[in-house]
Amino acid sequence: MKRILLCVLAAGWALAAIGCSSSGPQPSSSSAKEFGKLYKQFADRFHDKMAEEGDALKAEQATTEAASLWQETLGAHKALLKQRCEELLNDLEPAPAIVESAEKVDGQLACTVAGKVYTEVASVAQAPNSSQPAGAVPKHLMWNPMGAANMALNNWLVVLLDQRAMAVRSFTSSHASLTWEALDKNVDKPRLVLRQGPALYLVDLSRIDDYYRVDKIRWLKAKTAAKPVEKAAEKPAEKATEKPADKPAEPAK
């Protein structure tokens, strides 16, 4: 049950990423308006269906139903979805270049980002849920690169982090939304970056027909410079106490 709830949260984060992929009001476009109308149809149908289920609703059932309704509503609009993805990617701020280091730092792979050294905490190729059959892909969550990256990242971190660390990450992110940046805005093979304090997540994706597959995720962490060891203040050398000169021995009488 705990895992299901976390996956549901991850799906929610993925949807949230769609809305906070870039800051400030977004310019309207014909594709945005057309997509918005279709998305509203999908959302209305989905929530009407979920209301019918009431307390009997299960998480797996909701995912299956959403995927089915998405296909019915937007499945035939692949060109529109791709155009919308291009616009969303173009709206992202460019990420600073990542310069890979030829040498390891403290035994770990390292790179430099904006003049700061980062070491690799972990990485995964073909992130969880990335290689499943197309019919089982929740395209309503993975139709755009930010949503796909966010969902795969959170599902991966669920495996790596303990429950408390995952809860803290979710809690802090709810107070200040994380923002994706783009290393590469190529709509077919985008590369995205997400920063969270000293952590940096790099996600490589590829477009498969009308959804995105996550090919690789890297978790990097800024290397904290060691604090210089403060020397203890040296005490002034004590002057040697001069001993009184020995008196000459008195001659024997």
Side-chain angles (χ1 to χ4, degrees):
M1 177 60 71
K2 183 198 307 180
R3 181 61 183 275
I4 292 174
L5 289 174
L6 285 171
C7 288
V8 172
L9 285 173
W13 294 326
L15 288 174
I18 297 171
C20 64
S21 59
S22 56
S23 58
Q26 299 303 304
S28 60
S29 67
S30 58
S31 67
K33 290 178 181 178
E34 187 178 352
F35 171 80
K37 290 178 182 178
L38 290 170
Y39 191 90
K40 187 176 185 304
Q41 291 177 27
F42 155 73
D44 288 346
R45 292 179 64 190
F46 173 75
H47 288 294
D48 286 345
K49 184 68 176 178
M50 295 303 98
E52 292 174 7
E53 298 298 328
D55 294 339
L57 177 65
K58 295 181 179 179
E60 298 90 340
Q61 180 186 356
T63 302
T64 301
E65 191 65 41
S68 176
L69 290 173
W70 177 269
Q71 189 62 29
E72 291 177 17
T73 310
L74 288 116
H77 299 273
K78 296 180 181 180
L80 172 65
L81 291 176
K82 186 171 184 178
Q83 183 181 352
R84 189 72 192 115
C85 289
E86 286 179 327
E87 293 171 348
L88 291 172
L89 284 168
N90 286 333
D91 285 340
L92 297 183
E93 292 292 327
I98 296 178
V99 182
E100 301 293 342
S101 174
E103 298 180 359
K104 292 185 177 181
V105 174
D106 296 337
Q108 299 172 306
L109 295 174
C111 60
T112 302
V113 183
K116 186 179 292 186
V117 176
Y118 283 76
T119 55
E120 185 176 283
V121 178
S123 66
V124 61
Q126 287 290 312
N129 302 328
S130 290
S131 58
Q132 56 189 323
V137 173
K139 295 181 181 179
H140 58 293
L141 300 177
M142 303 182 72
W143 69 272
N144 82 62
M146 286 70 71
N150 215 49
M151 187 175 74
L153 174 60
N154 281 298
N155 285 343
W156 182 52
L157 291 178
V158 165
V159 177
L160 292 181
L161 302 178
D162 59 32
Q163 187 177 2
R164 184 181 181 281
M166 195 66 191
V168 168
R169 182 176 188 271
S170 173
F171 174 73
T172 54
S173 300
S174 69
H175 284 282
S177 299
L178 302 176
T179 303
W180 287 100
E181 298 173 342
L183 269 177
D184 190 335
K185 297 184 179 183
N186 181 343
V187 70
D188 293 315
K189 292 190 74 68
R191 301 187 74 205
L192 305 179
V193 171
L194 189 71
R195 305 169 189 244
Q196 187 172 21
L200 186 151
Y201 304 99
L202 172 62
V203 183
D204 293 357
L205 306 101
S206 54
R207 187 171 181 81
I208 309 296
D209 196 19
D210 57 349
Y211 71 94
Y212 282 90
R213 180 186 67 196
V214 175
D215 297 322
K216 186 175 182 179
I217 305 177
R218 291 178 71 193
W219 174 8
L220 308 174
K221 190 172 183 181
K223 182 173 173 57
T224 305
K227 292 183 179 179
V229 179
E230 293 183 3
K231 273 190 172 183
E234 294 183 2
K235 295 181 180 178
E238 295 181 2
K239 289 185 178 180
T241 306
E242 295 182 3
K243 292 182 179 180
D246 292 335
K247 292 181 180 180
E250 293 182 1
K253 292 182 179 178

